[in-house]
């Protein structure tokens, strides 16, 4: 209690086993309250192998994606100071039935567009709303196996910034006029929904491209490599929340897809030694895809020789040499995708997701950890997990 934290992720979330085959089926593979409406899906071997191999090559350690683009996200200047900027690209998607999906894959202008079309097609049965998607936001992360990623929502960053600025202007205007700012005047759930309903993608996806220690295998199930799991919480920015979530372990060519309004993270990983000789490959590489009906695009800086850094930048032609579309065999692609749709894997349910920190127990453990270790929003100062929503929205 010394640090003021009241809520933490449960032991089931933090204390996960190194391999998903060791998850206690009696406690973590429980059925949710409404299994038919499970808001996420895991598919193994999602991409036909030629596409997956090409994607791995495009995101290899010395790819221009990392050297010419990703490395620049730490060099954005604002107010005379450097800061890390979120950066993603946007590709348009065909939104008609004039051609078959394989013909659209064949006509795609980049490998990224091909991958997005394949994934969209594989998700239409589980998530029919994805048919309305007109574009895909794509970005990638390359992290050590024990690295975390804070609890967050995928959002239209530009639209959110505009709304925050408008809200601040309204508050300042009211203050200058000595008017009392009204907060929560009405149904809070309806207000939240009206504020956030178009801030999130239809569907968010995480595709594992590389896992650390590929020479390491589990004796029990044959799982290859290390890497921390993705945690998807049953907590929506649209207002609904349940004290549960799902751990989704990284496997090569595994896709995790979920409702785009859900809170998610990468939980802190289990430290492990480098087993291979090449430390450049000792990374957890994932490709994220957000399917949007409508999203605000960043305007590319055509006066600069450098790649534009920002959210939803139209995919630049200068990176096409790293993401060239590949020729397809229509029969092979069709056969693989029919099989992939059936490769559905049960996610590991974590319930409860959050537990309260009491004065006599967990708080003593939490109080010994430095303040910086709470940067992932895995510990909260309130007993209400929607505290995260308020911090994200900022108004």
């Amino acid at each position: 209690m010394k640090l003021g934290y009241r809520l933490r992720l449960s032991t089931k979330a933090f204390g996960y086993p190194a391999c998903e085959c060791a998850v206690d089926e009696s406690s973590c593979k429980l059925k949710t309250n409404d299994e038919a409406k499970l808001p996420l899906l895991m598919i193994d071997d999602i991409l036909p192998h030629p596409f997956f191999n090409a994607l791995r090559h495009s995101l290899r350690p010395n790819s221009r994606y990392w050297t010419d683009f990703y490395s620049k996200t730490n060099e954005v200047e604002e107010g005379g100071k450097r800061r890390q900027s979120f950066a993603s690209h946007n590709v348009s998607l065909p939104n008609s039935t004039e051609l078959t999906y394989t013909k659209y894959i064949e006509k795609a202008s980049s490998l990224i567009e091909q991958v997005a079309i394949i994934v969209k097609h594989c998700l239409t049965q589980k998530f029919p709303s994805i048919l309305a998607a007109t574009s895909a936001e794509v970005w990638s992360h390359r992290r050590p196996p024990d690295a975390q990623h804070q609890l967050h929502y995928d959002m239209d960053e530009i639209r959110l910034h505009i709304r925050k600025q408008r809200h601040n202007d309204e508050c300042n205007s009211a203050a200058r006029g000595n008017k009392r700012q009204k907060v929560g005047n009405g149904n809070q759930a309806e207000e939240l929904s009206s504020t956030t309903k178009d801030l999130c993608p239809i569907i968010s996806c995480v595709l594992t491209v590389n896992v650390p220690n590929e020479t390491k295998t589990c004796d029990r199930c044959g799982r290859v490599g290390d890497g921390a799991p993705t945690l998807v919480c049953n907590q929506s920015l649209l207002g609904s929340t349940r004290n549960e979530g799902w751990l989704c372990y990284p496997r090569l060519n595994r896709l995790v897809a979920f409702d785009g309004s859900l809170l998610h993270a990468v939980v802190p990983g289990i430290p492990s030694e480098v087993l291979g000789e090449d430390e450049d490959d000792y990374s957890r590489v994932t490709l994220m895809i957000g399917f949007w009906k409508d999203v605000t695009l960043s305007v590319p800086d055509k006066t600069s020789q450098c790649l534009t850094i920002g959210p939803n930048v139209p995919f630049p032609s200068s990176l096409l040499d790293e993401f060239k579309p590949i020729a397809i065999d229509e029969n092979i692609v069709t056969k693989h995708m029919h099989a992939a749709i059936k490769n559905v894997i049960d996610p590991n349910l974590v319930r409860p997701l959050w537990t309260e920190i009491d004065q006599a127990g967990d708080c003593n453990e939490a109080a010994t950890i430095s303040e910086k270790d709470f940067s992932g929003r895995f510990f909260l100062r309130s007993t209400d997990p929607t505290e995260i929503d308020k911090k994200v929205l900022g108004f």
Side-chain angles (χ1 to χ4, degrees):
M1 214 52 107
K2 293 179 182 179
L3 294 179
Y5 291 99
R6 304 287 305 281
L7 207 63
R8 53 163 285 180
L9 285 184
S10 69
T11 302
K12 289 182 179 179
F14 271 142
Y16 60 89
C19 184
E20 62 186 339
C21 72
V23 173
D24 183 1
E25 294 189 6
S26 65
S27 61
C28 284
K29 288 199 171 180
L30 301 169
K31 297 296 183 181
T32 58
N33 294 336
D34 193 346
E35 191 73 10
K37 296 182 179 180
L38 193 69
L40 81 161
L41 183 70
M42 283 203 305
I43 301 179
D44 275 354
D45 205 25
I46 179 78
L47 296 180
H49 295 163
F51 290 92
F52 183 68
N53 292 336
L55 183 62
R56 291 197 77 185
H57 177 75
S58 298
L59 294 173
R60 67 195 183 281
N62 62 343
S63 166
R64 289 188 59 238
Y65 181 86
W66 306 115
T67 60
D68 292 6
F69 171 69
Y70 193 81
S71 62
K72 304 297 189 297
T73 61
N74 291 314
E75 299 178 4
V76 175
E77 290 196 8
E78 186 177 272
K81 296 181 180 180
R82 286 190 176 185
R83 63 173 180 84
Q84 185 173 21
S85 172
F86 173 73
S88 64
H89 291 114
N90 186 281
V91 294
S92 297
L93 295 175
N95 197 28
S96 72
T97 56
E98 294 179 3
L99 302 175
T100 63
Y101 70 88
T102 52
K103 290 299 182 183
Y104 281 121
I105 294 171
E106 187 177 352
K107 291 170 63 68
S109 60
S110 69
L111 175 63
I112 290 294
E113 184 181 345
Q114 289 180 315
V115 169
I117 293 172
I118 291 171
V119 171
K120 179 182 176 182
H121 178 77
C122 288
L123 296 180
T124 53
Q125 185 174 354
K126 171 66 177 179
F127 302 109
S129 58
I130 202 173
L131 290 169
T134 60
S135 70
E137 179 183 12
V138 292
W139 67 103
S140 187
H141 288 305
R142 183 167 171 255
R143 292 191 172 99
D146 58 348
Q148 69 179 42
H149 191 181
Q150 69 177 3
L151 281 164
H152 67 283
Y153 293 100
D154 294 341
M155 305 182 73
D156 184 330
E157 300 290 339
I158 298 176
R159 186 171 289 164
L160 175 62
H161 176 75
I162 292 172
R163 289 185 181 174
K164 283 183 177 181
Q165 187 61 54
R166 185 167 58 216
H167 176 77
N168 291 337
D169 290 345
E170 290 173 353
C171 289
N172 292 334
S173 177
R176 285 194 296 270
N178 288 324
K179 297 178 181 178
R180 184 177 179 181
Q181 181 75 14
K182 292 185 178 180
V183 179
N185 55 332
N187 187 298
Q188 190 173 10
E190 290 182 2
E191 290 178 4
L192 180 63
S193 178
S194 64
T195 302
T196 61
K197 63 182 179 180
D198 57 352
L199 285 178
C200 298
I202 302 169
I203 300 295
S204 291
C205 301
V206 181
L207 174 64
T208 302
V209 179
N210 191 72
V211 292
N213 281 337
E214 287 190 31
T215 59
K216 178 181 177 181
T217 58
C218 174
D219 294 335
R220 181 177 174 182
C221 71
R223 175 177 180 258
V224 175
D226 290 317
T230 297
L231 174 66
V232 181
C233 308
N234 203 352
Q235 177 173 327
S236 171
L237 192 62
L238 301 183
S240 63
T241 180
R242 291 177 180 171
N243 191 17
E244 62 187 16
W246 299 269
L247 285 173
C248 307
Y249 284 75
R251 284 184 184 264
L252 291 176
N253 207 8
R254 169 177 284 182
L255 181 87
V256 179
F258 50 92
D259 183 314
S261 69
L262 293 181
L263 186 70
H264 57 286
V266 177
V267 292
I270 302 171
S272 58
E273 63 178 333
V274 180
L275 297 182
E277 296 181 358
D278 189 357
E279 291 195 28
D280 283 338
D281 290 332
Y282 188 63
S283 299
R284 179 186 188 273
V285 179
T286 51
L287 179 74
M288 274 60 66
I289 310 173
F291 289 93
W292 290 92
K293 181 179 180 180
D294 177 41
V295 68
T296 312
L297 302 181
S298 294
V299 179
D301 184 0
K302 297 182 179 180
T303 64
S304 173
Q305 297 298 316
C306 300
L307 292 170
T308 302
I309 304 299
N312 276 294
V313 177
F315 198 79
S317 58
S318 57
L319 282 180
L320 285 178
D321 60 334
E322 288 285 12
F323 296 91
K324 294 177 181 177
I326 67 172
I328 72 166
D329 183 312
E330 188 170 345
N331 291 329
I332 292 177
V333 170
T334 301
K335 183 177 179 180
H336 180 94
M337 290 174 68
H338 281 313
I341 294 172
K342 299 177 182 179
N343 292 338
V344 176
I345 308 300
D346 290 332
N348 298 307
L349 179 64
V350 176
R351 187 192 292 154
L353 177 63
W354 297 98
T355 57
E356 290 192 25
I357 299 173
D358 60 65
Q359 194 167 16
D362 291 341
C363 67
N364 295 325
E365 174 188 350
T368 64
I369 305 174
S370 64
E371 189 78 26
K372 67 178 181 179
D373 291 318
F374 294 89
S375 60
R377 297 171 177 153
F378 305 129
F379 290 76
L380 304 178
R381 297 185 185 278
S382 166
T383 56
D384 180 6
T386 60
E387 172 191 321
I388 297 173
D389 303 2
K390 299 168 187 174
K391 289 182 178 179
V392 169
L393 293 173
F395 56 85

